[in-house]
Amino acid sequence: MDADLVVVGGGLAGLVAATEVARKGKRVLLLEQEPYLGGQAFWSFGGLFLVDTPEQRRLGIRDSAELAQQDWFGAAGYDRPEDEWGRLLAQAYIQFAAGEMRAWLFFLGVRFFPVVGWAERGGGLATGHGNSVPRFHIVWGTGPGLLEPFLRRVEELKERGLLRVLLRHRVEEVLVEGGRVVGVAGVVLEEDPRPRGVPTSRKPVGAFRFRAQAVLLATGGIGANLDLVRRFWPERVGPPPGRLLSGVPDHVDGQGLLLAQQAGARLVNLDRMWHYPEGVENHTPLWTHHGIRILPGPSPLWVDATGRRLPPPLFPGFDALETLRYLRGTGFDWSWFVLDLRTLKREFALSGSEQNPDLTGRSWPLVLKNRLLGPAAPVKAFLTRGKDFLLAEDLSELMRRMDALAPGVLDPSRLEREVKARDRELLNPFAKDAQVLAVHAFRRYLGDRLFRVAKPAPLLKGRGPLVAVRLWTLTRKTLGGIQTDLKGRALTPSGAPLEGLFAAGEAAGFGGGAFHGYKALEGTFLGGCLFTGLRAAQGVLEGLE
């Protein structure tokens, strides 16, 4: 026996599971096909869905597990028999997020930016989609900061001889004997010195075969495999776009899901996906079709390709998938944000650790400069180098530039009417426009007023250049995956555990094969990796004992 446990995948979920089991004195082998550990978490903004925290209470936010579950279930819309395990794991995650999660992370050395973000603000009903209160806790250090304590544990456990890490090892088979998983086999890939995120060589230079009492798959989803994304694209949101940007590196290819299925595990809800309609092409790409998501404040005017304003409540930052569904019905692959530079400076951020050097580098001077004065250097780079970013001194010139990118599609008269109509709503403190009312309401929250939501002002008042940003669909997360129980055990089509096989993180649909249901509330992807990594580790340890 080569190990008590083989963990396939060195992202956040795999690191949590591997280190938890090794800390109990078990022999763990961690296999990763890339030349580094950290997976997608390294690139993340580092946001975690937490409930009723000191950070919330200091800002006057009153939260509870009951309110969080109301929001979660309103978003999830569970309606399939295979949702049972996902629903149970969602309830368990909410209790974790409202209980020991923050204290556990704090003990590990994780700290949080003091202003809690308000992501996915919702669809307008108490029982519908969206967060009723701000819950998006940004790790001080973003994704790399969240990975740090687990990478430290990896080094400590390696020194103690309890954890062995093998990079450039690509698993191509889960070994099954007598109905039980007994190990993995695959190929050793040649060394490749290219930077993190750049596609690496798949040339094999050797082979391996390892036996273990248990195997845990933490191999991520399908977000970079655009063929699989289109194959499982949900019909309920319309046809897939002709052009897709990828929000994840090429190695997020769905291979682990196929391995689990071949071994006898059940895959569920692969048509549930989390993609963003606010993607822009990266001006300096690392991976194939590399896109970046704009994290917008609530003020930009959002219009479709023809200049027609999106209906309420499809405003920036409110309901990503419902907005995507609407846009897929327009017949065009893109839409537009229209705003002024003053608003952009306050409200635009970009997703990812590399696009937020102030938070990633834990620099308070940079945070204050970027968030209060703005725009941050990465946003400036897109303003000058991003092919989807247009600036002009007046609306007529802006519309000419918009039309030049897609001749004959934009209706300038329509867009001008939309801009002028909303401007009239901003001339006094009263309004019927739902977006204007929402912006006024959000500025009552101190965090939004200081860092996120610009003071409302008409676009055509001549207060600075106007900006248009062309937006594309950006792939990100697979909400479905390997169906697991509360212990992280992979289940067969009959519903029984597949002995010896466990799954965690995105490969498990973040728990149960889609514990988000149809929609996510943000901060639950990294949170789901932490949670299911712990759960699967506990399940493995029970089996080993």
Side-chain angles (χ1 to χ4, degrees), residues 475-516:
T475 68
R476 185 58 63 85
K477 295 299 180 184
T478 311
L479 299 187
I482 303 165
Q483 188 158 50
T484 59
D485 63 11
L486 289 168
K487 297 181 179 180
R489 298 181 297 184
L491 304 179
T492 66
S494 69
L498 177 55
E499 293 297 324
L501 186 64
F502 296 77
E506 190 175 358
F510 300 97
F515 83 158
H516 294 102

Side-chain angles (χ1 to χ4, degrees), residues 460-479:
L460 303 182
K461 292 285 284 186
R463 304 182 74 173
L466 299 180
V467 182
V469 185
R470 186 165 58 164
L471 308 168
W472 305 89
T473 302
L474 178 76
T475 68
R476 185 58 63 85
K477 295 299 180 184
T478 311
L479 299 187

Side-chain angles (χ1 to χ4, degrees), residues 277-280 294 302 333-337 469-473:
E278 314 104 325
V280 291
I294 293 175
W302 202 340
D333 285 354
W334 71 92
S335 61
W336 295 95
F337 279 161
V469 185
R470 186 165 58 164
L471 308 168
W472 305 89
T473 302

Side-chain angles (χ1 to χ4, degrees), residues 33 92 198 218 276 286 396 440 479 527 530:
Q33 65 180 344
V198 175
Y276 292 110
L286 290 175
S396 295
H440 283 306
L479 299 187
L530 294 169

Side-chain angles (χ1 to χ4, degrees), residues 10 26 29 75 95 147 179 198 226 278 400 459 501 515:
K26 307 301 181 182
L29 178 60
Q95 294 303 315
L147 287 167
V198 175
L226 300 189
E278 314 104 325
R400 282 194 291 272
L459 283 176
L501 186 64
F515 83 158

Side-chain angles (χ1 to χ4, degrees), residues 346-396:
R346 175 58 61 92
E347 296 200 4
F348 264 31
L350 299 168
S351 181
S353 57
E354 81 286 11
Q355 300 295 333
N356 293 273
D358 50 357
L359 294 167
T360 303
R362 300 181 176 99
S363 170
W364 271 110
L366 269 182
V367 167
L368 294 174
K369 177 185 175 183
N370 292 340
R371 311 295 155 169
L372 296 180
L373 301 177
V379 177
K380 285 183 181 177
F382 271 91
L383 280 170
T384 57
R385 301 171 63 188
K387 63 176 61 175
D388 296 311
F389 284 70
L390 306 174
L391 280 82
E393 290 300 322
D394 58 57
L395 184 60
S396 295

